[in-house]
């Protein structure tokens, strides 16, 4: 039995190159983070060898005494990490990732073609909340359910709750989804609860991006108002890639959420759980209860605020005028134009060349997802790497420098490798590929 570098030098070399890329770049993608060595040890362990369809104590395979112990430990830690232990809530830790977790909820509580409302993707929502275009039902959620997205008020950059209320009253959804992939503010859960109650809908929060912040109580708590809370585990929570579904134990709208959700996960949509992931998740959830983790989450938010302030000092417009959480959304359009060679896609490419990794993002009012007018910048990963507010101020300056280099490229200033690359990227022949945000 050989180690990786001997058994497969090709894969081993690719991993080394990726490790090097992660090490040398400024990682600013809001949905990414660096998990701990302890989590990676658990994920790379013998737990990957075991089949365990079912739940602890009710498995379809033998030999699960230790897997049962692990999954029960992980469930307990999950509830404790969100201060839900001893409350009437349960959790399923088997979802393979965030999108499957969401679809499992829909399968549990909806019938095909039931109506749902989530935040529109171009306004910050996630694909799995029901994205569709005028031409195409893009996500499985919009193929199997009838989706009527709610949107931001474009003048404030905040969720337009009045419009959500009006539309919900007419559309009468069975499920309203809070949560986003690119929204720098807290959701107004009490308001959303009121709207859901008025139309007889379930209220679910997809806290994927902010679950670390929720766990450390540095943003509003969705558990107080929602019936179901889903999350990924690999973003601000800093665990392995995976998903979780939290649910109220008491029936809601006549539905026993516990059995409906557990059955939707298995046998509804999944087979054997990924026990190595559940092992890694248990490790990260232990960490999530430590004082260091709370301090880390506070830093994620203060670093993001420092980044936001500096960007505004430099003249950038931020959607909603700032940030309450781990990300900022910069609207490049008021200051720059595509004719100048500045849009989200080109800025992403140029900064990538300088080992600054962030992503282009549509901003309210954008016409093209291919060439969107914004960029999304997140603070979790570099905070894990030890950055403080001063470093994030420098990050804002570097981003500004990238934008200036792009402007110069249009004015034919070249010389450095980066300037030459900027010239290439801003030329009309540069191929742009669409990438749907995660
Ligand atoms: N929900 C939200 C709000 C997300 O931002 C994402 C991904 O970034 C997901 C769900 C989907 O998670 P995954 O990529 O693990 O399927």
């Amino acid at each position: 039995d050989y180690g990786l570098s001997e058994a497969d030098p090709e894969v081993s070399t690719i991993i080394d190159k990726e490790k090097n890329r992660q090490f040398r770049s400024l990682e600013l993608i809001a949905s990414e983070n660096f998990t701990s060595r302890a989590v990676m040890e658990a994920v790379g362990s013998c737990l990957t060898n075991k089949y365990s369809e079912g739940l602890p104590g009710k498995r379809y395979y033998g030999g699960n005494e230790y897997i049962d112990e692990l999954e029960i430990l992980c469930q307990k830690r999950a509830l404790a990490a969100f201060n839900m232990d001893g409350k009437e809530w349960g959790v399923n830790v088997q979802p393979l990732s965030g999108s499957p977790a969401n679809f499992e909820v829909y399968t549990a509580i909806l019938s095909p073609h039931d109506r749902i409302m989530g935040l529109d993707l171009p306004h910050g929502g996630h694909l799995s909340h029901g994205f569709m275009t005028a031409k195409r039902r893009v996500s499985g959620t919009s193929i199997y359910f009838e989706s009527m997205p709610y949107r931001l008020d474009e003048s404030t950059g905040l969720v337009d709750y009045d419009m959500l209320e009006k539309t919900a009253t007419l559309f009468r959804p069975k499920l309203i989804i809070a949560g986003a992939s690119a929204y720098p503010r807290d959701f107004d859960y009490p308001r959303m609860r009121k709207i859901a109650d008025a139309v007889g809908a379930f209220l679910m929060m997809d806290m994927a991006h902010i679950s670390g912040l929720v766990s450390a109580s540095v943003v509003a708590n969705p558990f107080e108002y929602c019936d179901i809370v889903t999350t990924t585990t690999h973003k601000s929570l800093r665990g392995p890639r995976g998903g979780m579904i939290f649910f109220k134990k008491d029936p809601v709208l006549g539905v026993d959420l516990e059995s409906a959700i557990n059955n939707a996960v298995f046998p509804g949509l999944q087979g054997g759980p990924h026990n190595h992931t559940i092992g890694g998740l248990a490790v990260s959830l232990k960490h999530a209860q430590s004082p260091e983790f709370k301090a880390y989450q506070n830093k994620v938010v203060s670093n993001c605020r420092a980044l936001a302030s500096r960007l505004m000092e430099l003249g950038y417009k931020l959607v909603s005028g700032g940030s309450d959480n781990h990300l900022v959304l910069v609207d490049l359009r008021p200051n720059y134009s595509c004719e100048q060679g500045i849009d989200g896609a080109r800025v992403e490419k140029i900064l990538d060349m300088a080992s600054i990794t962030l992503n282009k993002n549509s901003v309210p009012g954008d016409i093209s997802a291919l060439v969107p007018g914004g960029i999304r910048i997140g603070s979790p990963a570099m905070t894990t790497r030890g950055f403080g507010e001063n470093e994030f101020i420098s990050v804002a300056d570097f981003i500004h420098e990238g934008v200036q280099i792009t402007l110069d490229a249009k004015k034919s200033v070249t010389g450095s490798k980066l300037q030459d690359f900027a010239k290439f990227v801003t030329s009309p022949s540069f191929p742009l590929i669409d990438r749907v945000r995660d």
Side-chain angles (χ1 to χ4, degrees):
D1 197 6
Y2 298 101
L4 181 61
S5 58
E6 273 174 273
D8 192 335
E10 249 176 306
V11 169
S12 175
T13 305
I14 293 170
I15 292 175
D16 283 345
K17 285 193 286 194
E18 170 58 14
K19 194 170 168 186
N20 183 269
R21 187 198 66 79
Q22 290 185 14
F23 183 74
R24 73 176 151 71
S25 67
L26 288 181
E27 185 52 72
L28 301 169
I29 292 184
S31 51
E32 292 185 6
N33 211 330
F34 299 101
T35 195
S36 65
R37 194 186 326 168
V39 166
M40 290 211 275
E41 246 178 64
V43 171
S45 73
C46 67
L47 293 170
T48 200
N49 298 332
K50 189 71 195 101
Y51 247 112
S52 59
E53 282 173 355
L55 285 165
K58 294 180 263 178
R59 304 283 190 187
Y60 288 80
Y61 291 81
N64 270 307
E65 60 269 42
Y66 304 119
I67 297 296
D68 278 4
E69 200 179 326
L70 177 73
E71 188 166 340
I72 290 167
L73 180 67
C74 188
Q75 289 170 344
K76 278 195 183 139
R77 287 184 178 174
L79 291 169
F82 292 93
N83 297 312
M84 298 313 289
D85 41 349
K87 309 227 172 90
E88 285 303 298
W89 279 72
V91 62
N92 189 307
V93 296
Q94 295 187 5
L96 301 177
S97 217
S99 304
N102 289 343
F103 208 80
E104 282 152 8
V105 171
Y106 310 148
T107 305
I109 62 173
L110 304 175
S111 300
H113 300 293
D114 272 351
R115 293 184 290 271
I116 64 165
M117 291 185 75
L119 183 61
D120 209 3
L121 183 126
H123 281 217
H126 188 255
L127 268 175
S128 63
H129 299 177
F131 181 56
M132 55 198 281
T133 65
K135 287 197 198 127
R136 201 158 70 86
R137 293 179 178 232
V138 180
S139 121
T141 308
S142 57
I143 294 173
Y144 295 107
F145 304 99
E146 301 307 319
S147 167
M148 171 69 80
Y150 59 91
R151 314 194 91 198
L152 305 184
D153 174 339
E154 293 190 12
S155 64
T156 59
L158 302 174
V159 169
D160 188 342
Y161 293 102
D162 292 338
M163 188 50 83
L164 166 60
E165 185 167 11
K166 267 192 209 152
T167 314
T169 309
L170 294 171
F171 188 62
R172 306 207 74 79
K174 199 156 171 199
L175 171 68
I176 297 178
I177 304 160
S181 300
Y183 187 58
R185 300 294 182 178
D186 261 339
F187 276 77
D188 185 346
Y189 304 114
R191 179 92 199 261
M192 294 189 82
R193 176 79 264 169
K194 254 177 93 180
I195 298 170
D197 285 345
V199 300
F202 294 96
L203 180 61
M204 161 184 148
M205 166 63 177
D206 175 354
M207 62 170 182
H209 262 256
I210 56 162
S211 53
L213 309 181
V214 172
S215 165
S217 306
V218 298
V219 289
N221 182 359
F223 288 89
E224 283 176 35
Y225 296 95
C226 298
D227 306 308
I228 298 163
V229 178
T230 62
T231 186
T232 54
T233 50
H234 45 273
K235 299 186 170 90
S236 56
L237 193 59
R238 220 162 69 186
R241 306 197 82 77
M244 292 192 279
I245 306 171
F246 295 85
F247 45 80
K248 276 185 180 157
K249 281 196 163 173
D250 286 340
V252 179
L253 299 172
V255 178
D256 173 359
L257 295 179
E258 178 162 24
S259 67
I261 288 171
N262 285 339
N263 284 326
V265 174
F266 174 84
L269 289 161
Q270 293 188 184
H274 289 189
N275 293 308
H276 53 302
T277 302
I278 293 174
L281 178 55
V283 174
S284 62
L285 290 166
K286 178 178 182 200
H287 188 218
Q289 293 169 64
S290 67
E292 297 80 39
F293 187 79
K294 191 165 167 56
Y296 162 73
Q297 298 295 349
N298 273 306
K299 273 181 81 179
V300 166
V301 172
S302 58
N303 285 344
C304 192
R305 291 209 174 124
L307 172 74
S309 305
R310 181 65 181 154
L311 286 168
M312 287 191 289
E313 263 171 39
L314 292 166
Y316 290 90
K317 182 181 174 232
L318 305 187
V319 174
S320 86
S323 173
D324 293 331
N325 56 26
H326 65 302
L327 68 84
V328 295
L329 200 52
V330 181
D331 186 352
L332 297 163
R333 297 166 313 174
N335 305 359
Y336 303 103
S337 66
C338 289
E339 291 69 49
Q340 289 174 296
I342 303 285
D343 54 63
R346 289 185 167 87
V347 170
E348 176 195 286
K349 282 280 171 257
I350 284 163
L351 293 175
D352 224 356
M353 174 76 177
S355 294
I356 298 174
T357 317
L358 46 67
N359 63 292
K360 66 175 182 259
N361 213 103
S362 50
V363 279
D366 257 341
I367 297 160
S368 165
L370 200 65
V371 192
I375 49 174
R376 185 184 68 163
I377 316 170
S379 61
M382 293 319 293
T383 305
T384 298
R385 293 279 302 266
F387 272 25
E389 293 179 28
N390 286 338
E391 287 78 14
F392 271 94
I393 289 168
S394 303
V395 165
D397 291 339
F398 290 147
I399 291 169
H400 185 53
E401 216 174 301
V403 170
Q404 297 314 307
I405 287 173
T406 317
L407 280 174
D408 288 347
K410 266 302 205 202
K411 292 187 230 143
S412 281
V413 178
T414 54
S416 76
K417 213 170 150 195
L418 187 58
Q419 283 167 334
D420 286 342
F421 183 73
K423 194 157 182 57
F424 164 59
V425 167
T426 52
S427 70
S429 55
F430 182 71
L432 290 166
I433 43 151
D434 197 3
R435 197 185 69 193
V436 177
R437 181 194 49 238
D438 51 8

